[in-house]
């Protein structure tokens, strides 16, 4: 090999080396996403003593409308617990969670309803969570029924039903002047 060929080979090797360094250097300066834990959902996650809240969010049609809390609560202790969630304007709901069990707030008959969502859908509302002597305040997202997967969770306000009233017929009407 002559000196010109050796020079070209050295330049080519250097170019390949620089190219490999630039490709593998991305992992060196950027954080690996697999080491960063986050809630891969619309809801939040929070831990409160032995209670683990996962994918918690509120479904409501408006700021001053009732909001249904959905998600899951896991109790890792050997005793039953009650999770109390307090929000805007005195809104509060209690969620019983059995020992070493989970409570899913999605399709249960006992829905966890707050009397008011506290913010318009799309916002975050501060909610104080309590169980025993443990408490924390978390910002919980509020969504509406625009997405079909949340529409079925919108709380319905009961509509007043008409009470039947009796009307007097002409034979039952009192006589005039009596």
């Amino acid at each position: 090999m002559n000196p010109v060929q050796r020079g070209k080979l050295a330049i080519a090797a250097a170019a390949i080396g620089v190219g490999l360094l630039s490709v593998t250097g991305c992992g060196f300066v950027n954080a690996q996403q697999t080491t960063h834990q986050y809630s891969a959902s619309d809801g939040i996650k929070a831990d409160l003593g032995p209670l683990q809240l996962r994918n918690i969010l509120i479904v409501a049609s408006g700021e001053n409308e009732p909001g249904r809390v959905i998600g899951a609560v896991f109790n890792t202790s050997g005793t039953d617990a009650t999770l109390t969630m307090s929000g805007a304007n005195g809104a509060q709901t209690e969620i019983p969670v059995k020992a070493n069990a989970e409570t899913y707030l999605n399709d249960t008959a006992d829905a966890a309803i707050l009397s008011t969502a506290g913010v318009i859908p799309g916002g975050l509302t501060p909610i104080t969570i309590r169980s025993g002597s443990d408490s924390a305040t978390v910002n919980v997202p509020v969504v509406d029924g625009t997405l079909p997967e949340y529409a079925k969770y919108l709380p319905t306000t009961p509509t007043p039903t008409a009470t039947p009233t009796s009307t007097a017929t002409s034979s039952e009407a009192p006589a005039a002047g009596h």
Side-chain angles (χ1 to χ4, degrees), residues 39 43-49 51-58 69-70 72-73 83-88 95 114 117-119 123-130 134-142:
S39 291
I44 61 146
K45 78 175 201 170
D47 294 331
L48 183 68
L51 298 182
Q52 299 173 344
L53 288 72
R54 298 295 182 261
N55 196 24
I56 299 294
L57 58 91
I58 298 170
V69 179
I70 63 171
V73 182
L83 174 68
T84 302
M85 301 181 82
S86 303
I95 302 160
L114 293 168
V119 298
L124 296 171
T125 187
I127 298 290
T128 300
I129 53 176
R130 284 187 322 273
D134 298 323
S135 78
T137 299
V138 292
N139 289 321
V140 177
V142 176

Side-chain angles (χ1 to χ4, degrees), residues 69-137:
V69 179
I70 63 171
V73 182
F74 299 92
N75 184 352
T76 61
S77 77
T79 58
D80 292 354
T82 299
L83 174 68
T84 302
M85 301 181 82
S86 303
N89 302 322
Q92 183 171 302
T93 189
E94 290 186 344
I95 302 160
V97 186
K98 296 283 186 197
N100 295 311
E102 60 277 341
T103 298
Y104 294 98
L105 304 171
N106 300 345
D107 291 322
T108 60
D110 262 349
I113 306 286
L114 293 168
S115 59
T116 179
V119 298
I120 60 170
L124 296 171
T125 187
I127 298 290
T128 300
I129 53 176
R130 284 187 322 273
S131 181
S133 62
D134 298 323
S135 78
T137 299

Side-chain angles (χ1 to χ4, degrees), residues 1-14:
M1 197 182 306
N2 66 32
V4 172
Q5 288 176 330
R6 272 189 246 144
K8 287 182 181 180
L9 184 60
I11 291 173

